[in-house]
Amino acid sequence: MAETLHFPKDLVALAERVIAENKAAGRTVAVAESCTGGLVCAALTEIPGSSAVLDRGFVTYSNEAKQELLGVQSDIIEAFGAVSPATAWAMAQGAIKHSNADVAVAVSGIAGPDGGTAMKPVGTVVFALAIRDDDEVNAEQKLIEGATRSEIRHQAAIVALEMLLP
């Protein structure tokens, strides 16, 4: 008998809402992930019928991947860092540009246990939402309190899924 992955119940419940509500709204979504490493996409694809809503996901962990797959300009990353609202916004815009989705969410952050600084401590995560044909900037930086890397990634995935609700 094959063993299945056990996703946290809160992630699955929220992913179910994202799929159902976007399907009802006739919207498709794309995801651009860095620190969550595909967790948001994986939660969405746990849901039967997700193919009607999820267009694609980009896991752009390295700066090079952000530039090559999403078209994030190197000067944005150099000026503001990979973990910045500017980079998250560029990632979300890139996900829209390189997909057929109506909306895209991007997430980038420092999940730890290393990599934090005084200005951007471990748990600093940035999120952005892009809507096709809308240039409004919907980007924010949060400090996610988590004792472990796994907890920070989990909470970041929750925030990203919430942003995909219509």
Side-chain angles (χ1 to χ4, degrees), residues 13-14 24 47-48 50 57 81-82 88 98-99 101 117 127 130-131:
L14 189 50
I47 309 308
S50 58
H98 297 286
S99 75
T117 64
F127 303 89
I131 300 169

Side-chain angles (χ1 to χ4, degrees), residues 73-91:
Q73 295 177 328
S74 60
D75 59 351
I76 291 175
I77 295 172
E78 288 165 18
F80 303 103
V83 180
S84 65
T87 297
W89 174 240
M91 288 171 64

